[in-house]
Structure formats: structure tokens, C-alpha cells
């Protein structure tokens, strides 16, 4: 498998709207073995800060995790930096595209919790 991080890392990092924190990158990747779209927000250190997983044709949220979440109700983020991943083909996203998916998934998962 080919590591794609060096190609991806050349993408211009940005900040989320209204965020004065570290630079971020956003992308999505499809994993056909589980019929799941993975959406990632990556910090400038290469670690996932937020991650959404949408499964099946109906794009049902199964995770909307943040690296700072104190419980695993929303899932967990990847356990290794992007530079160590193999076999993913990233599709770049804007901050706004990621945020829209993130907010929708968090909302749907929260509604299931109550």
C-alpha cells in the first residue's frame, strides 16, 4: 500500500472559522469493506482532532468523536497519526464541509442517546 500523507501534507492548512487555535486540514475517505465514509480533521501535528463515520447508503452516523471527549459515546478518534496510515485515498474538504457533516452527526448521535 502507498502512504499518501506526504502528498496530503502539502495541502494548505487552515483554521476553522472563528478559531485562533492550531492549523487544521480536512478530508474524507471511503472504506468499502465496511461501506463507511470517514471524515477527518487533522491537526498540524498529523493527529486526528475530530472524526466522523457515516455508514451505508443512508450515511447513518456511527461516530462523531473528538480527541478531547471524556467518554466514548461518540466513538474514538484514530489511534495513530495520519503519517502512519496506509491504503486510504483522501478527498479534500473545506472547513465548512467538514463542519456541516460534524454538526449533523453529533446532533443525530446525541438524539439517540436521550
Amino acid at each position: 500500500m502507498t502512504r499518501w500523507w506526504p502528498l496530503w501534507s502539502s495541502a494548505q492548512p487552515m483554521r476553522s472559522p472563528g478559531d485562533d487555535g492550531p492549523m487544521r486540514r480536512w478530508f474524507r475517505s471511503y472504506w468499502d469493506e465496511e461501506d463507511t465514509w470517514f471524515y477527518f480533521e487533522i491537526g498540524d501535528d498529523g493527529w486526528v482532532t475530530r472524526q466522523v463515520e457515516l455508514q451505508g447508503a443512508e450515511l447513518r452516523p456511527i461516530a462523531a468523536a473528538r480527541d478531547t471527549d471524556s467518554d466514548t459515546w461518540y466513538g474514538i478518534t484514530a489511534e495513530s497519526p495520519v503519517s502512519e496510515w496506509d491504503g486510504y485515498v483522501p478527498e479534500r474538504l473545506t472547513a465548512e464541509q467538514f463542519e456541516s457533516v460534524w454538526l449533523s452527526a453529533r446532533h443525530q448521535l446525541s438524539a439517540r442517546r436521550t
Side-chain angles (χ1 to χ4, degrees), residues 6-32:
L7 296 175
W8 176 251
S9 65
S10 65
Q12 183 66 33
M14 301 175 65
R15 287 190 172 90
S16 295
D19 183 7
D20 291 330
M23 302 296 263
R24 309 262 185 229
R25 293 179 178 90
W26 303 269
F27 71 91
R28 72 179 190 163
S29 185
Y30 182 71
W31 187 14
D32 61 354

Side-chain angles (χ1 to χ4, degrees), residues 27-28 37-41 50-52 54 93 98 101:
F27 71 91
R28 72 179 190 163
W37 278 101
F38 291 84
Y39 289 73
F40 299 102
E41 177 182 72
R50 294 188 292 169
Q51 176 174 327
V52 175
L54 304 177
L93 298 171
F98 178 87
V101 170

